[in-house]
Amino acid sequence: MMSDAKLSSRYEIRPLEPEHVEWAKALFAHSSVFGSPIWRTLYPSNKTARFYGLYQASDYLIKYQISSGLSLGLFDKEYEFKNPGSAASGGKLYLDLSDPSISEDELLEQMDTPLVSIACAFDAFYAMDNRRVAPVMGRLPASTSFHAALAERDPRDPETWLPTAPGQVLQRMGTATKAGAEGEGFMKAMAHHMMRRAADKGFRGIQIECFHDAVTAVWANPPVPFKGCVAGEVDTYSLDEIDVEGRRRFPYRPVRQRLTKVYVTLG
């Protein structure tokens, strides 16, 4: 078990609001395309175009979770704006979706907001519309196979954890930290904050699918009195598929990443 993560007074964690949707979409897309050890390796070319596409495709995914009131953001209270127009509005994006020549760092400069990290979540009783999430999967095609593989390797009886009413199980879907701010413990601090907050609201559990070792470590080892359990896992390197000609393929090599489904019991 871990003890609760500590956070500098410079930062604050609070629920994401509708005015943060575009910021959160940009942070999610940038972190996924450029920062993820999976996606940056599987899709090494045309990253800026993929960033634009994922930013647009994630509108429903991010908006739905923020509207639940259960998603959290970590904000830098001492953030220094790069543009006077940003300060006037509390933060602003300057993305030009028609320019694929912009670099990773330039995109980051265009995200002139105090939002440092996000942890998106929703009440699992109110399932998302998979048809509206599909555009995100279209920008990161392998994610469909990853989610399916984790579902196949989950030995639990669904009746032991699936919600039967609102306010029972929190579903986490979307973790991102601004490039350059990784390794500061922000993801851990937000995870612990979300566990405490969900428990206070009466939720009995949180489920999350983790595509990064650090995320798995935090959620599988929560602070007391919570308990974490890896309910299913798969290694991308060994994940195989049978093609139309009946041949066995390993489409996600050379990526070697442990993917997990973690369930945290809150009480």
Side-chain angles (χ1 to χ4, degrees):
M1 293 288 184
M2 294 183 180
S3 59
D4 277 31
K6 305 299 181 183
L7 194 65
S8 164
S9 59
R10 171 175 176 166
Y11 303 97
E12 67 174 343
I13 298 173
R14 50 189 167 91
L16 290 169
E17 304 289 347
E19 61 263 31
H20 303 135
V21 168
E22 298 305 313
W23 302 0
K25 285 167 53 181
L27 187 55
F28 170 73
H30 195 277
S31 176
S32 297
V33 173
F34 297 103
S36 165
I38 296 178
W39 309 129
R40 70 187 180 203
T41 304
L42 285 180
Y43 309 118
S45 59
N46 303 316
K47 287 184 179 179
T48 297
R50 190 175 299 277
F51 163 80
Y52 291 149
L54 185 57
Y55 165 75
Q56 294 174 301
S58 64
D59 188 72
Y60 172 77
L61 175 74
I62 300 299
K63 189 177 295 182
Y64 183 90
Q65 295 187 90
I66 288 180
S67 68
S68 74
L70 299 169
S71 297
L72 299 176
L74 185 145
F75 296 82
D76 183 351
K77 296 186 292 183
E78 300 176 15
Y79 178 75
E80 296 182 3
F81 293 101
K82 303 175 182 66
N83 188 301
S86 306
S89 59
K92 189 174 181 179
L93 301 181
Y94 296 88
L95 303 176
D96 178 0
L97 305 186
S98 66
D99 187 354
S101 68
I102 299 296
S103 70
E104 171 186 354
D105 291 338
E106 288 173 320
L107 287 171
L108 199 62
E109 288 290 313
Q110 294 174 355
M111 296 159 54
D112 195 11
T113 83
L115 183 61
V116 179
S117 189
I118 60 171
C120 294
F122 63 99
D123 189 324
F125 184 73
Y126 300 109
M128 281 192 188
D129 183 342
N130 288 332
R131 295 171 301 177
R132 300 183 68 181
V133 178
V136 174
M137 307 302 181
R139 298 297 175 177
L140 304 171
S143 59
T144 301
S145 298
F146 293 163
H147 289 296
L150 284 173
E152 291 172 1
R153 289 160 175 78
D154 184 348
R156 296 173 299 172
D157 180 343
E159 293 186 4
T160 63
W161 72 273
L162 281 176
T164 57
Q168 294 182 350
V169 177
L170 197 70
Q171 179 68 53
R172 279 276 286 103
M173 189 178 291
T175 302
T177 296
K178 182 179 289 187
E182 306 95 338
E184 299 295 330
F186 296 145
M187 180 271 294
K188 180 179 178 181
M190 288 222 294
H192 291 179
H193 188 98
M194 182 169 284
M195 293 174 197
R196 299 288 183 196
R197 187 169 183 261
D200 289 345
K201 289 180 175 292
F203 283 87
R204 57 175 166 83
I206 302 176
Q207 177 145 296
I208 178 172
E209 293 184 350
C210 309
F211 288 8
H212 194 289
D213 293 341
V215 180
T216 295
V218 165
W219 284 91
N221 300 279
V224 292
F226 311 132
K227 297 179 180 179
C229 172
V230 175
E233 64 179 275
V234 63
D235 181 351
T236 58
Y237 197 81
S238 62
L239 188 58
D240 63 336
E241 295 180 358
I242 304 300
D243 65 20
V244 293
E245 296 181 1
R247 295 174 300 189
R248 187 185 185 195
R249 299 173 55 248
F250 297 89
Y252 310 113
R253 293 182 177 179
V255 175
R256 186 184 292 275
Q257 177 62 52
R258 180 189 183 212
L259 312 177
T260 64
K261 179 183 291 187
V262 178
Y263 185 84
V264 177
T265 301
L266 302 174

